[in-house]
């Protein structure tokens, strides 16, 4: 059974990357997830340095997230779609060079694209997978708002050894009313976890036990898979993802809770998820 706790390095506090990594390590996390793009380069520096930086603080970069903005274009036969495809392929190439074992990929942005062709997405995904094979990088396709679509995609890559599932507990809670049949049905294809909670109505990215995810049921399902990685927390506070996505005037508002206090609370929440299996 796995027993490692991990954290996405964007957890809602704007700090230099080495400060974040030191605090993440100091509170007891063992692994991290990062953003495989230059959106946060003002604070995080070059994302291609993060695996090496993580090891400096006793952390392991377990997986990184390909930027998903514009990925709906992968469903279209357009010049924009070709550019997004090139970005994904280049992400795989650089991950291989930087010894990042797994990249998480969204099959679409927030909701399944309308008026587009699934066959085009499949063709583009195949080209990405060809680069994965060359670079020795796994791709983990993340469940989003459409449970049926991620199943269709997972069925397509079922026999591809380096393609699998990134199971996101928060997305699953909204999309399926919290059942874990996706884990049960693809138990040998779980490559990564994104762990966070919500109220079942919208994607809130709060800590475990701050929403209504059934963490006992989740751990029972995970325990029956072949997954041996980390519970990778993808919670952030006080950053509001929904407002950031929908409101161009959204302003980040700091809170009185310090970053180290938040990380200590997050580590305790991760430990508590593991403890549900002992009851």
């Amino acid at each position: 059974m796995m027993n490692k706790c991990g954290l996405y390095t964007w957890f809602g506090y704007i700090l230099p990357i080495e400060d974040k990594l030191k605090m993440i390590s100091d509170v007891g996390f063992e692994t991290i997830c990062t953003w495989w793009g230059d959106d946060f380069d003002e604070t995080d520096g070059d994302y291609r340095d993060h695996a090496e930086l993580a090891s400096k603080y006793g952390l392991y970069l377990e997986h990184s997230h390909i930027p998903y903005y514009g990925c709906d274009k992968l469903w279209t036969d357009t010049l924009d779609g070709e550019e997004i495809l090139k970005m994904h392929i280049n992400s795989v190439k650089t991950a291989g060079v930087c010894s990042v074992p797994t990249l998480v990929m969204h099959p679409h942005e927030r909701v399944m694209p309308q008026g587009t062709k699934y066959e085009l997405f499949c063709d583009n995904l195949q080209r990405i997978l060809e680069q994965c094979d060359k670079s020795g990088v796994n791709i983990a396709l993340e469940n989003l708002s459409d449970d049926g679509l991620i199943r269709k995609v997972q069925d397509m890559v079922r026999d591809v050894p380096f393609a699998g599932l990134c199971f996101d507990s928060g997305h699953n809670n909204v999309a399926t009313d919290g059942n874990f049949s996706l884990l049960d049905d693809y138990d040998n294809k779980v490559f990564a976890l994104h762990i966070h909670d919500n109220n079942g109505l919208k994607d809130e990215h709060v800590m475990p036990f701050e929403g209504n995810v059934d963490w006992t049921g989740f751990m029972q399902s995970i325990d029956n898979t072949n997954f041996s990685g980390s519970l990778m927390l993808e919670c952030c506070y006080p950053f509001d993802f929904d407002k950031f996505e929908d409101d161009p005037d959204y302003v980040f508002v700091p809170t009185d809770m310090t970053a180290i206090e938040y990380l200590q609370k997050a580590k305790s929440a991760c430990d508590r998820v593991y403890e549900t299996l002992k009851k």
Side-chain angles (χ1 to χ4, degrees):
M1 173 188 162
M2 61 183 188
N3 59 11
K4 298 185 290 294
C5 291
L7 187 77
Y8 181 28
T9 52
W10 169 245
F11 52 88
Y13 290 77
I14 301 173
L15 297 163
I17 185 63
E18 293 208 46
D19 290 356
K20 289 190 288 185
L21 292 174
K22 184 179 186 306
M23 286 190 289
I24 290 168
S25 177
D26 285 349
V27 302
F29 286 103
E30 299 171 78
T31 63
I32 58 168
C33 163
T34 62
W35 183 255
W36 202 245
D38 56 11
D39 303 75
F40 304 106
D41 59 354
E42 287 188 9
T43 55
D44 288 2
D46 193 329
Y47 63 92
R48 290 163 292 195
D49 295 334
H50 290 171
E52 185 175 349
L53 276 178
S55 64
K56 175 180 174 181
Y57 293 95
L59 298 165
Y60 175 62
L61 202 168
E62 188 170 287
H63 61 261
S64 194
H65 206 310
I66 299 175
Y68 54 80
Y69 302 115
C71 68
D72 285 355
K73 298 296 183 181
L74 291 172
W75 294 66
T76 66
D77 185 13
T78 64
L79 290 176
D80 287 344
E82 190 66 25
E83 287 303 309
I84 293 295
L85 174 62
K86 288 178 181 178
M87 182 273 287
H88 279 70
I89 290 173
N90 187 61
S91 292
V92 174
K93 288 180 180 178
T94 54
V97 171
C98 298
S99 301
V100 176
T102 300
L103 289 178
V104 172
M105 171 184 167
H106 280 197
H108 54 79
E109 289 190 50
R110 299 182 69 186
V111 298
M112 182 176 173
Q114 299 300 309
T116 53
K117 294 183 178 180
Y118 177 67
E119 293 75 14
L120 289 172
F121 170 76
C122 293
D123 290 344
N124 286 328
L125 178 59
Q126 183 57 43
R127 290 173 64 183
I128 295 167
L129 292 175
E130 288 169 2
Q131 187 60 52
C132 288
D133 194 18
K134 294 175 184 176
S135 298
V137 174
N138 295 320
I139 204 82
L141 292 138
E142 185 171 349
N143 59 304
L144 298 166
S145 61
D146 191 314
D147 186 63
L149 174 63
I150 193 63
R151 289 174 178 275
K152 193 174 181 180
V153 173
Q154 289 300 318
D155 286 341
M156 184 181 75
V157 301
R158 189 182 287 273
D159 296 326
V160 180
F162 44 84
L165 172 69
C166 171
F167 181 83
D168 186 295
S169 63
H171 298 164
N172 182 76
N173 199 44
V174 175
T176 71
D177 293 327
N179 79 73
F180 301 109
S181 58
L182 191 61
L183 288 173
D184 300 332
D185 295 342
Y186 299 95
D187 58 315
N188 66 336
K189 297 291 283 184
V190 182
F191 284 12
L193 297 176
H194 284 172
I195 304 304
H196 51 102
D197 214 329
N198 58 51
N199 60 7
L201 300 176
K202 67 175 185 176
D203 190 22
E204 297 175 298
H205 284 262
V206 296
M207 286 189 199
F209 306 101
E210 292 183 350
N212 61 12
V213 169
D214 174 12
W215 292 107
T216 299
F218 165 77
M219 283 303 296
Q220 289 171 343
S221 288
I222 279 292
D223 200 40
N224 289 324
T225 71
N226 67 348
F227 184 70
S228 59
S230 305
L231 289 181
M232 188 69 69
L233 297 191
E234 199 190 28
C235 48
C236 59
Y237 179 80
F239 192 82
D240 189 315
F241 266 95
D242 277 353
K243 289 182 180 178
F244 175 73
E245 296 282 356
D246 297 331
D247 182 359
D249 297 320
Y250 171 67
V251 177
F252 172 84
V253 180
T255 71
D256 293 332
M257 183 182 289
T258 66
I260 196 70
E261 289 171 339
Y262 180 76
L263 291 174
Q264 290 167 339
K265 184 178 178 182
K267 178 59 167 60
S268 295
C270 191
D271 291 340
R272 187 178 167 191
V273 174
Y274 276 117
E275 289 168 3
T276 62
L277 270 187
K278 301 175 183 179
K279 296 179 180 179

